[in-house]
Amino acid sequence: MIAGIIGAAGYAGAELVRLLLAHRNITGLVLASVSRPGESITSLYPNFLNSGKAESNPALAKFGKDGATLTTPEACIAASDIVFGALPAGAGEGYAKLCLERKISYIDLSADFRFGDDEESYSAWYGKPWQHPELHQHSVYGLPELNRERIKERAAAGPCIIGNPGCYPTAVSLACYPALCKNGGNTCIQRGAGPVIADAISGVSGTGREPGRNNHFSECSDSVSAYKVGAHRHTPEIAMTAAQMAGHFVHLVFTPHLGPLNRGILATVYIPLATGTLSARPQSKETAEKEAAIRDFYLSFYKDEPFVRVLPENIYASTNRVRQSNYCDLSVHLDHTGTALIVESAIDNMVKGAAGQAVQNMNIVCGFNETEGLTALPALF
Amino acid sequence: MIAGIIGAAGYAGAELVRLLLAHRNITGLVLASVSRPGESITSLYPNFLNSGKAESNPALAKFGKDGATLTTPEACIAASDIVFGALPAGAGEGYAKLCLERKISYIDLSADFRFGDDEESYSAWYGKPWQHPELHQHSVYGLPELNRERIKERAAAGPCIIGNPGCYPTAVSLACYPALCKNGGNTCIQRGAGPVIADAISGVSGTGREPGRNNHFSECSDSVSAYKVGAHRHTPEIAMTAAQMAGHFVHLVFTPHLGPLNRGILATVYIPLATGTLSARPQSKETAEKEAAIRDFYLSFYKDEPFVRVLPENIYASTNRVRQSNYCDLSVHLDHTGTALIVESAIDNMVKGAAGQAVQNMNIVCGFNETEGLTALPALF
Amino acid sequence: MIAGIIGAAGYAGAELVRLLLAHRNITGLVLASVSRPGESITSLYPNFLNSGKAESNPALAKFGKDGATLTTPEACIAASDIVFGALPAGAGEGYAKLCLERKISYIDLSADFRFGDDEESYSAWYGKPWQHPELHQHSVYGLPELNRERIKERAAAGPCIIGNPGCYPTAVSLACYPALCKNGGNTCIQRGAGPVIADAISGVSGTGREPGRNNHFSECSDSVSAYKVGAHRHTPEIAMTAAQMAGHFVHLVFTPHLGPLNRGILATVYIPLATGTLSARPQSKETAEKEAAIRDFYLSFYKDEPFVRVLPENIYASTNRVRQSNYCDLSVHLDHTGTALIVESAIDNMVKGAAGQAVQNMNIVCGFNETEGLTALPALF
Amino acid sequence: MIAGIIGAAGYAGAELVRLLLAHRNITGLVLASVSRPGESITSLYPNFLNSGKAESNPALAKFGKDGATLTTPEACIAASDIVFGALPAGAGEGYAKLCLERKISYIDLSADFRFGDDEESYSAWYGKPWQHPELHQHSVYGLPELNRERIKERAAAGPCIIGNPGCYPTAVSLACYPALCKNGGNTCIQRGAGPVIADAISGVSGTGREPGRNNHFSECSDSVSAYKVGAHRHTPEIAMTAAQMAGHFVHLVFTPHLGPLNRGILATVYIPLATGTLSARPQSKETAEKEAAIRDFYLSFYKDEPFVRVLPENIYASTNRVRQSNYCDLSVHLDHTGTALIVESAIDNMVKGAAGQAVQNMNIVCGFNETEGLTALPALF
């Protein structure tokens, strides 16, 4: 199967290249760029250069004779069996339309197709309407742990559009799902009043390849700060997903930070509980037992998920242990009073938070093994 | 005046050395170490070496002829006019006692004297009782913004003991103070139900100089994770301080993280408000105005503080902008619904979070200019 | 085939685990540790944990039922078809002996088998004699680009011992080989008088997992320094290899540095040339042409090598472009006078500099495809 | 005295601001920018913001009422008693001319005035002629350790122009000076044939504040690479200075690298010696003694220098130990054969490599204490 990538010059696009080169069901790649057609992927990303003995890495043959040269989006769509769009918000709808017309599926890594048919939310946060509202009927929000069956159904009905989730929403939603899920069989988590708070930190690759002061090494190395507090566009996406999980509106507070790491998101999610003992004393034995019961529930909730790892007690979710992998690591904790469930959630923002999840969605859409191309284990260091 | 530092071989001790060398009221330093008497500070910290032309840096003359050699705590106390203890919890009480007997003040950077007379809290979290409970009558919790007058009073009454605050408690408490303060003149912040949540990240210098897996470059660089969730010993200290500010018990949730930076703490503090509009829409104009009013209140609340900077709109507290300085930078925000006050608080964990605040306390105790030795401006990069 | 790893708890061992899990000819792993038998690899390296749906990652089945538990070296050897030793110098000879007795090959990542039969060099630099000198007759220095045929011959003759090269020697030797090679067909590089100088910088993973001040984040982040100048033990290994390449003694100067990166070695190698124009003016046209000719020679010299990439003009060897891969990237330059050939050589110290090269050696020894398990392309970021 | 800074918006300019705020002979600052007049320094660098209690930091009063607002270069010159230019090559000559016309001295941090009257070298490397060749008669190359008396003489004769040295040239030249100096009283260093090789690595602040791919965190963090090999513009400056030191042409090879640190340059300088024993054995006792003798010579050579620290045996020059200070740390070594003198030289590229040295030059020009404003000791971490 031939996969097309529009936006291959950006970071998410380049990560798709890396993952699809190792994917056994993909036999060829067609790369495209809106702004840089004619350049080669290996001049933009010399990490993809071949060695003298070219045939020694058969994966690189997927670039084709001229495959390392970026083409136009239209030519890419014409030559592909499935297309990924790694583009800024608002840039992908037209390509999605072209794909459907060509009877092929389109996996969109921007925010354009993450809102189902709720154009009002999209336009309120993104400042513009949809260009092709009718397309959104054909789209599914591609968080497999939540919507796997819906994705399969939609794909079974013909070419489809997947709205690949944002990086923060992926980390936060997977942390919340067992606690919020109305049908999860949860008897140990009694939610209390108050908002769900998601405090998250992202690595700098999340700012993209365009150089700016926010990704200048001298201004972001050895430092941490928040940004867009109360205003980040992932807020409605997280809230929408939480509402789907819970079956009702969820009050969500979300604060993103930027930290001096390359890849990774760590989200700390606070979910208020109905019981506990308000005091300034250390955790009681009851609280420790409640924590263990909730951890067990998380384990059983995700027991069939290939990419979620609920960690044992005393192991904290850490971004370096999911680096370059599609895993989401979750560690489950209670505060000292037992009134706040605290879930630490770690993903690689470029993999489970972008390109890896897109490949996972492609695997589901195409009926491939869901983990194909995504089984490389993370290195710790 | 001669200052003594017990525990000069550790990071907080070395930072005290650096600051006191530049302090114009300190004419000599006597350095001590429990475990390494006989070694020289310049072999442990060659950054303090002199150049060929020794007299070109008069500050280094403060080491004295043999001053660069670490002595015993007892010899240090005997030779000093004021003593700093930068020691593990439980190790400093005896030295505090010796100091009082010698009629000199003792500034303790451990947790031993941070709990007033509440030995129960201390022993519940630190796992051991006090050795000299009577001493704690003479101690003050040295957060100048909260207790400046109490420190002055205690010092006016004779030699005293200062419990220098922990790094996280400093960042979190200064973020909370205007919102919690019962006498602050606050009319714009109406607190709502629910806990105050403090989510914080610290640089690796906070782990101290003892090498371990938690500070191994290959395991903590390019990564973020939480630790001691629900169990960090700074929890009761923050709760106690919040209660003093508010005049009543404050339910506090605290989650510490470790990040790949050298110095700095960034705390994100969530304070629930009584009003706001629950929705998944962007901030309303009313919310933006409320945010501006609260920022103005913070500005006026801290208008007489030399080391607190309430930042203008659109500038976020960032650890690199306080690096090597005694500033605490605060930026004030509301979530999109206007129901959560979010304060970002940045300090250098080794300065305002440890040695700098200790010098500030010394300045108050000794009647020096409170900012003496602490006016160096931070470099951005 | 079952592979055993003695020393799996260390960094090189863990990297072998990661690579061999992805190797299609390896069906099972037996992990051993001298100091930590009984512990599990997943408690030491939670990055290797499985998800809830264990069967979704078949690679992890290679750990076997109890395979994640570290056994003793002896048990490991007894259960394996080939054994890797990732141990300190002097610790592996006994295990090599056991392997040969069991008729299986042993790939040693320490320095013990890198010196052919030159025990004198080994003992002069490592401070101890060999325990089993007779074994060294059966060993080959495992730099495939230099010794591929010798490795094949030795393996064809029965179980063998491979002395896997050091990290610095790999980067430096591959940079030198075309210029030094007596039989390389080189007509464009006329060597001049003076030493070959290798100035190299390594990431911190090279210090191993044992925590120490040299790998403490706060002491090595944001800093660069040299170490063991004139005394690093890789010096004789590089000199010996250069002599083999050149067919005569090569005067080598080697200076290692430690830099604030996790993985990677960048070596800058200076080779004096016989011609050029001494001046302080920019490169002449002739010099630029000479540089291009030498680059072309490097390209043709390595044209059959699967893991050496000679980079085009204007692309510099950079450690991030080989990260987690087995590539050695070389960029070829002349100084402004044209009298010094300057080769930049980048490897991942843990892959081509250790575990990856060991797997490459296993592939050659066992007659597998030489690139099997090593074709994953590096991510740039 | 009022100091003007043209180019205050850049990194070197901002570092001058930081240093001059702490300088006791400077009573006011006038900041200027060619491209950003009208903006305030505190909006560009919020690290310079004041706290609520403005008077608590008298240094900040130096900004004046509107002093935080950047003015034009012409207005800056008109209001200042001395002017610093922190501008790109070719942009400062006109301002230098204006300063001399106003009878005030001009300290230039660009390359424009580093070449004495050798316009040919300048134009060969910088690709353009001088605009005001006559000015260069009035300039001195401001490396105080080499030219202190010449600077004083020139300043005694009236307003002057100082060509502040480049960052790499400072680190390399101070490493070489004792070994090359024709009048140094050197009897222990017998130079041999072959080039002086300077292999250096710089932190990312050296790329300036303009964002680009070379300073994008995701492309330079966790990585090292060379750049401009054989073509870096600091090459002729180093060669010219070496020739002044030696009294004859010195063949110099210079290779710059970029590393993942914020501040700092580490230069490794190789100087060939006439004697030694070519072998692949460890250092002999004679070599160790020769090394100690050369170290002693370096110590005595620099015994009157306030900012050069020749380190004791076993302490390596390290960039973190000079961070934010004006020190140049040198460690002296021999290779294992004793035929190559290897000097490690560490500076902060923004201080001794730029703004600090400029202040040192101002101190000399103005007759202030040479170390005024530059005595803050570096923190290790």
Side-chain angles (χ1 to χ4, degrees):
Chain A
M1 205 170 88
I2 308 293
I5 303 172
I6 306 176
Y11 279 173
E15 189 72 353
L16 277 167
V17 170
R18 187 176 74 85
L19 293 172
L20 292 173
L21 285 176
H23 194 290
R24 289 179 291 184
N25 298 101
I26 297 300
T27 53
L29 289 177
V30 184
L31 310 181
S33 169
V34 176
S35 57
R36 295 169 173 276
E39 292 198 46
S40 79
I41 191 73
T42 51
S43 66
L44 292 167
Y45 292 94
N47 49 306
F48 293 137
L49 279 169
N50 214 326
S51 65
K53 197 180 180 185
E55 68 276 19
S56 62
N57 198 329
L60 287 168
K62 295 185 190 177
F63 282 147
K65 267 188 198 162
D66 296 322
T69 304
L70 303 180
T71 182
T72 62
E74 291 75 14
C76 170
I77 291 170
S80 299
D81 301 312
I82 190 165
V83 171
F84 295 87
L87 297 161
E93 283 185 274
Y95 302 131
K97 192 159 181 288
L98 270 180
C99 285
L100 290 199
E101 288 168 4
R102 271 209 67 232
K103 311 288 187 210
I104 60 176
S105 291
Y106 180 77
I107 298 177
D108 189 279
L109 281 78
S110 83
D112 291 357
F113 293 98
R114 294 179 188 160
F115 288 83
D117 56 6
D118 183 2
E119 183 173 0
E120 205 178 326
S121 281
Y122 178 85
S123 61
W125 288 85
Y126 288 83
K128 49 191 165 193
W130 287 336
Q131 296 169 280
H132 302 286
E134 74 284 2
L135 284 179
H136 297 260
Q137 310 295 334
H138 300 272
S139 72
V140 197
Y141 184 66
L143 187 66
E145 291 78 6
L146 177 64
N147 284 341
R148 184 177 286 114
E149 293 312 314
R150 291 181 61 197
I151 300 167
K152 287 184 181 174
E153 284 165 23
R154 191 74 72 166
C160 64
I161 299 172
I162 303 292
N164 205 57
C167 50
Y168 288 120
T170 297
V172 174
S173 299
L174 293 177
C176 289
Y177 193 15
L180 298 185
C181 181
K182 59 184 171 184
N183 304 315
N186 167 9
T187 58
C188 58
I189 307 172
Q190 298 183 283
R191 288 181 50 210
V196 170
I197 293 181
D199 188 289
I201 183 166
S202 170
V204 182
S205 59
T207 68
R209 202 179 205 193
E210 191 66 31
R213 198 166 288 170
N214 61 337
N215 55 38
H216 191 307
F217 183 92
S218 298
E219 314 235 345
C220 63
S221 77
D222 208 51
S223 189
V224 182
S225 62
Y227 65 103
K228 295 187 187 164
V229 176
H232 194 283
R233 288 168 165 186
H234 284 174
T235 307
E237 183 183 338
I238 303 172
M240 177 197 75
T241 306
Q244 184 188 335
M245 290 169 169
H248 55 72
F249 173 84
V250 174
H251 176 200
L252 173 95
V253 172
F254 168 57
T255 312
H257 296 80
L258 191 70
L261 54 157
N262 205 338
R263 286 165 174 257
I265 282 179
L266 187 80
T268 302
V269 182
Y270 300 86
I271 300 166
L273 300 182
T275 61
T277 310
L278 295 193
S279 88
R281 287 287 176 274
Q283 272 199 358
S284 66
K285 191 159 163 274
E286 288 73 20
T287 297
E289 289 168 355
K290 184 160 78 168
E291 182 183 285
I294 297 176
R295 185 178 296 116
D296 285 344
F297 174 66
Y298 265 68
L299 271 165
S300 73
F301 188 88
Y302 281 128
K303 74 177 173 351
D304 293 326
E305 284 302 332
F307 294 118
V308 179
R309 303 193 295 194
V310 179
L311 300 173
E313 195 187 351
N314 294 325
I315 299 190
Y316 288 89
S318 183
T319 62
N320 59 353
R321 291 199 292 253
V322 296
R323 197 188 287 143
Q324 295 201 12
S325 88
N326 202 48
Y327 286 122
C328 174
D329 274 8
L330 300 175
S331 63
V332 175
H333 315 273
L334 290 181
D335 82 312
H336 67 289
T337 69
T339 61
L341 171 59
I342 304 171
V343 183
E344 299 285 333
S345 174
I347 61 169
D348 183 319
N349 60 315
M350 302 305 296
V351 187
K352 184 64 176 171
Q357 188 147 260
V359 171
Q360 187 180 358
N361 277 311
M362 176 190 76
N363 288 340
I364 297 172
V365 165
C366 297
F368 302 151
N369 189 332
E370 189 172 332
T371 63
E372 172 54 36
L374 300 168
T375 54
L377 284 157
L380 175 60
F381 50 90
Chain B
M1 204 169 90
I2 307 293
I5 302 172
I6 306 175
Y11 278 172
E15 189 72 355
L16 277 165
V17 169
R18 186 176 75 85
L19 293 172
L20 292 173
L21 285 175
H23 194 290
R24 289 179 292 187
N25 298 102
I26 298 301
T27 52
L29 289 178
V30 184
L31 309 181
S33 169
V34 176
S35 57
R36 297 169 172 275
E39 293 197 46
S40 79
I41 191 72
T42 52
S43 66
L44 292 167
Y45 292 94
N47 48 307
F48 292 136
L49 278 168
N50 214 326
S51 66
K53 196 180 181 186
E55 67 276 18
S56 63
N57 198 331
L60 287 167
K62 294 184 190 177
F63 281 148
K65 267 187 200 161
D66 298 321
T69 303
L70 302 180
T71 181
T72 62
E74 292 74 13
C76 170
I77 292 169
S80 300
D81 301 311
I82 190 164
V83 171
F84 296 87
L87 297 162
E93 283 185 274
Y95 304 130
K97 191 158 183 289
L98 270 181
C99 285
L100 290 200
E101 287 167 6
R102 272 212 64 232
K103 310 286 187 210
I104 60 177
S105 291
Y106 180 75
I107 298 177
D108 188 279
L109 281 78
S110 83
D112 292 356
F113 292 98
R114 295 178 188 161
F115 288 84
D117 55 5
D118 183 1
E119 183 174 0
E120 206 177 325
S121 280
Y122 178 86
S123 60
W125 287 84
Y126 288 83
K128 49 192 166 192
W130 286 335
Q131 296 170 283
H132 303 286
E134 73 286 1
L135 283 180
H136 297 259
Q137 310 295 333
H138 300 272
S139 72
V140 197
Y141 184 66
L143 187 66
E145 291 78 5
L146 177 64
N147 285 341
R148 184 176 286 112
E149 294 313 312
R150 291 181 60 197
I151 300 167
K152 288 184 180 173
E153 283 165 24
R154 191 75 72 166
C160 64
I161 298 171
I162 303 292
N164 205 58
C167 49
Y168 288 119
T170 297
V172 174
S173 299
L174 294 176
C176 289
Y177 193 16
L180 298 185
C181 180
K182 59 184 170 184
N183 303 317
N186 167 11
T187 58
C188 58
I189 306 172
Q190 296 182 283
R191 287 181 52 210
V196 170
I197 293 181
D199 188 290
I201 184 167
S202 170
V204 182
S205 60
T207 68
R209 201 179 206 192
E210 191 67 32
R213 198 166 289 170
N214 61 337
N215 55 38
H216 191 306
F217 184 92
S218 298
E219 315 235 344
C220 63
S221 77
D222 209 51
S223 190
V224 182
S225 62
Y227 64 103
K228 293 186 187 165
V229 176
H232 194 284
R233 289 168 165 184
H234 284 174
T235 307
E237 182 182 340
I238 302 172
M240 177 197 76
T241 306
Q244 184 188 336
M245 291 169 168
H248 56 72
F249 173 83
V250 174
H251 176 200
L252 172 93
V253 172
F254 169 56
T255 312
H257 296 80
L258 191 70
L261 55 157
N262 205 338
R263 286 165 174 258
I265 281 178
L266 186 80
T268 301
V269 182
Y270 299 86
I271 299 166
L273 300 182
T275 61
T277 308
L278 294 195
S279 88
R281 287 286 175 275
Q283 272 199 0
S284 65
K285 189 157 166 275
E286 288 74 20
T287 297
E289 289 168 356
K290 184 160 80 169
E291 183 182 286
I294 297 176
R295 184 178 298 114
D296 285 344
F297 174 67
Y298 265 69
L299 273 165
S300 74
F301 188 89
Y302 281 129
K303 73 177 174 350
D304 292 327
E305 284 302 332
F307 294 117
V308 180
R309 303 193 295 193
V310 179
L311 300 174
E313 195 187 352
N314 294 325
I315 299 189
Y316 287 88
S318 183
T319 62
N320 61 351
R321 291 200 291 254
V322 297
R323 196 188 287 142
Q324 295 202 14
S325 88
N326 202 48
Y327 286 122
C328 174
D329 274 9
L330 301 176
S331 62
V332 175
H333 316 274
L334 290 181
D335 81 312
H336 65 290
T337 69
T339 61
L341 171 59
I342 304 172
V343 184
E344 299 285 333
S345 174
I347 61 169
D348 183 320
N349 60 314
M350 301 305 296
V351 186
K352 184 63 177 172
Q357 187 147 261
V359 171
Q360 186 181 359
N361 277 312
M362 176 190 77
N363 288 340
I364 298 171
V365 165
C366 296
F368 302 150
N369 189 331
E370 188 173 331
T371 62
E372 171 54 35
L374 300 169
T375 54
L377 283 158
L380 175 59
F381 50 90
Chain C
M1 205 169 89
I2 308 292
I5 303 172
I6 306 176
Y11 278 173
E15 190 72 354
L16 277 166
V17 169
R18 187 176 74 84
L19 293 173
L20 292 173
L21 285 175
H23 194 291
R24 288 179 293 184
N25 298 101
I26 298 299
T27 52
L29 289 178
V30 183
L31 309 181
S33 169
V34 175
S35 57
R36 294 169 174 277
E39 293 198 47
S40 78
I41 191 72
T42 50
S43 66
L44 292 166
Y45 292 95
N47 49 307
F48 293 136
L49 279 168
N50 214 326
S51 66
K53 197 181 180 185
E55 67 278 18
S56 62
N57 199 329
L60 286 167
K62 295 185 190 177
F63 282 148
K65 267 187 195 161
D66 296 322
T69 304
L70 303 180
T71 183
T72 62
E74 291 75 13
C76 170
I77 292 169
S80 299
D81 301 311
I82 190 165
V83 171
F84 296 86
L87 297 161
E93 282 185 275
Y95 303 131
K97 191 158 183 288
L98 270 180
C99 285
L100 290 199
E101 289 168 4
R102 272 211 65 233
K103 310 286 186 211
I104 60 176
S105 291
Y106 180 75
I107 298 176
D108 190 279
L109 281 79
S110 82
D112 292 356
F113 292 98
R114 294 178 189 161
F115 288 84
D117 55 5
D118 183 2
E119 183 173 1
E120 205 178 325
S121 280
Y122 178 85
S123 60
W125 287 85
Y126 287 84
K128 50 191 165 193
W130 287 336
Q131 296 170 283
H132 303 286
E134 72 286 2
L135 283 180
H136 296 259
Q137 310 294 336
H138 299 273
S139 72
V140 197
Y141 183 66
L143 188 64
E145 291 77 6
L146 177 64
N147 286 340
R148 184 176 286 114
E149 294 312 313
R150 291 181 62 196
I151 299 167
K152 286 184 182 174
E153 283 163 26
R154 191 75 75 168
C160 64
I161 300 171
I162 303 292
N164 205 57
C167 49
Y168 288 120
T170 296
V172 174
S173 299
L174 293 176
C176 290
Y177 193 14
L180 297 185
C181 181
K182 58 183 169 183
N183 303 317
N186 168 10
T187 59
C188 58
I189 307 173
Q190 296 183 281
R191 288 181 51 209
V196 170
I197 294 183
D199 188 289
I201 183 166
S202 171
V204 183
S205 59
T207 68
R209 201 179 206 192
E210 191 67 31
R213 199 166 287 170
N214 61 338
N215 55 38
H216 191 306
F217 183 92
S218 298
E219 314 234 344
C220 63
S221 78
D222 208 50
S223 189
V224 182
S225 61
Y227 64 104
K228 294 187 187 163
V229 176
H232 194 284
R233 289 169 164 184
H234 283 174
T235 306
E237 183 183 340
I238 303 172
M240 179 198 74
T241 305
Q244 184 189 334
M245 291 170 169
H248 56 72
F249 174 82
V250 174
H251 177 199
L252 172 94
V253 172
F254 169 56
T255 312
H257 297 80
L258 192 70
L261 53 158
N262 206 337
R263 286 165 174 256
I265 281 179
L266 187 79
T268 302
V269 182
Y270 299 87
I271 299 166
L273 300 183
T275 61
T277 309
L278 294 193
S279 87
R281 288 286 175 273
Q283 272 198 359
S284 65
K285 190 159 164 274
E286 287 74 20
T287 297
E289 288 168 356
K290 184 160 80 168
E291 183 182 287
I294 297 177
R295 185 178 297 115
D296 285 343
F297 175 67
Y298 265 68
L299 272 165
S300 73
F301 188 89
Y302 280 129
K303 74 177 173 349
D304 292 326
E305 283 302 332
F307 293 118
V308 179
R309 302 192 296 193
V310 179
L311 300 173
E313 195 188 350
N314 293 325
I315 300 189
Y316 287 88
S318 182
T319 62
N320 59 352
R321 291 200 292 253
V322 297
R323 197 188 285 141
Q324 294 201 15
S325 88
N326 202 48
Y327 286 123
C328 174
D329 275 8
L330 300 176
S331 62
V332 175
H333 316 274
L334 290 182
D335 82 313
H336 66 290
T337 69
T339 59
L341 171 59
I342 303 172
V343 184
E344 299 285 332
S345 174
I347 62 169
D348 183 320
N349 60 315
M350 301 305 295
V351 187
K352 185 63 178 170
Q357 188 147 261
V359 171
Q360 186 180 358
N361 277 312
M362 176 189 77
N363 288 340
I364 297 172
V365 165
C366 297
F368 303 150
N369 189 331
E370 188 173 331
T371 63
E372 172 53 37
L374 299 169
T375 54
L377 284 158
L380 175 60
F381 49 89
Chain D
M1 206 171 86
I2 307 293
I5 303 172
I6 306 175
Y11 278 173
E15 190 72 354
L16 277 166
V17 170
R18 187 177 73 84
L19 293 173
L20 292 173
L21 285 175
H23 193 291
R24 288 179 293 184
N25 298 100
I26 298 299
T27 53
L29 288 178
V30 183
L31 310 181
S33 169
V34 175
S35 57
R36 296 170 173 276
E39 292 198 47
S40 79
I41 191 72
T42 50
S43 66
L44 292 167
Y45 291 95
N47 49 306
F48 294 136
L49 279 168
N50 214 327
S51 67
K53 198 181 180 186
E55 67 276 19
S56 62
N57 197 330
L60 287 168
K62 295 184 190 177
F63 282 147
K65 265 186 198 163
D66 296 321
T69 303
L70 302 180
T71 183
T72 61
E74 292 74 13
C76 170
I77 292 170
S80 300
D81 301 311
I82 190 164
V83 171
F84 295 86
L87 296 161
E93 283 186 274
Y95 304 131
K97 190 157 183 287
L98 270 181
C99 285
L100 290 200
E101 287 168 5
R102 272 210 66 232
K103 312 283 186 213
I104 60 177
S105 291
Y106 181 75
I107 298 177
D108 190 278
L109 281 78
S110 82
D112 292 356
F113 293 97
R114 294 178 188 160
F115 288 84
D117 54 7
D118 183 2
E119 185 173 0
E120 205 178 326
S121 281
Y122 179 85
S123 60
W125 287 86
Y126 288 84
K128 49 191 166 192
W130 286 336
Q131 297 169 281
H132 303 285
E134 74 284 2
L135 283 180
H136 297 260
Q137 310 295 334
H138 301 273
S139 72
V140 197
Y141 184 66
L143 187 65
E145 291 78 5
L146 176 64
N147 284 341
R148 183 177 286 112
E149 294 313 312
R150 290 180 62 196
I151 300 167
K152 287 184 180 172
E153 284 164 23
R154 192 76 73 168
C160 63
I161 300 172
I162 303 292
N164 205 57
C167 49
Y168 287 119
T170 297
V172 174
S173 299
L174 293 176
C176 290
Y177 193 15
L180 298 185
C181 181
K182 59 183 170 184
N183 303 316
N186 167 9
T187 58
C188 58
I189 306 173
Q190 297 182 282
R191 287 180 52 209
V196 170
I197 294 182
D199 188 289
I201 184 166
S202 170
V204 183
S205 59
T207 68
R209 201 178 205 192
E210 191 67 29
R213 199 166 286 169
N214 62 337
N215 54 39
H216 191 305
F217 183 91
S218 297
E219 315 234 345
C220 64
S221 77
D222 209 49
S223 189
V224 182
S225 61
Y227 64 103
K228 294 186 187 166
V229 175
H232 195 284
R233 290 169 164 184
H234 283 174
T235 306
E237 182 182 340
I238 303 172
M240 179 197 75
T241 306
Q244 183 187 337
M245 290 169 168
H248 55 73
F249 173 83
V250 174
H251 177 199
L252 172 94
V253 172
F254 169 56
T255 311
H257 296 80
L258 190 71
L261 54 157
N262 206 338
R263 287 165 174 256
I265 281 179
L266 187 78
T268 302
V269 182
Y270 299 86
I271 298 165
L273 300 182
T275 61
T277 308
L278 295 194
S279 87
R281 288 286 176 274
Q283 272 197 0
S284 65
K285 190 158 166 273
E286 287 73 21
T287 297
E289 289 167 356
K290 185 161 79 168
E291 181 182 288
I294 298 176
R295 185 178 297 115
D296 284 345
F297 174 67
Y298 265 68
L299 272 164
S300 74
F301 188 89
Y302 281 128
K303 71 179 178 345
D304 292 326
E305 284 302 332
F307 293 118
V308 179
R309 304 193 294 194
V310 179
L311 301 174
E313 194 187 352
N314 294 325
I315 300 189
Y316 287 89
S318 182
T319 62
N320 61 351
R321 291 199 292 254
V322 297
R323 196 188 286 142
Q324 294 200 15
S325 88
N326 202 48
Y327 286 122
C328 174
D329 274 8
L330 300 176
S331 62
V332 175
H333 316 274
L334 290 181
D335 82 313
H336 65 291
T337 69
T339 60
L341 171 59
I342 303 172
V343 184
E344 299 285 333
S345 174
I347 61 169
D348 184 319
N349 60 315
M350 302 306 296
V351 186
K352 185 61 176 171
Q357 188 147 262
V359 171
Q360 187 180 357
N361 277 312
M362 176 189 78
N363 288 340
I364 298 171
V365 165
C366 297
F368 302 151
N369 190 331
E370 188 174 330
T371 63
E372 172 54 36
L374 299 168
T375 54
L377 283 157
L380 175 60
F381 49 89

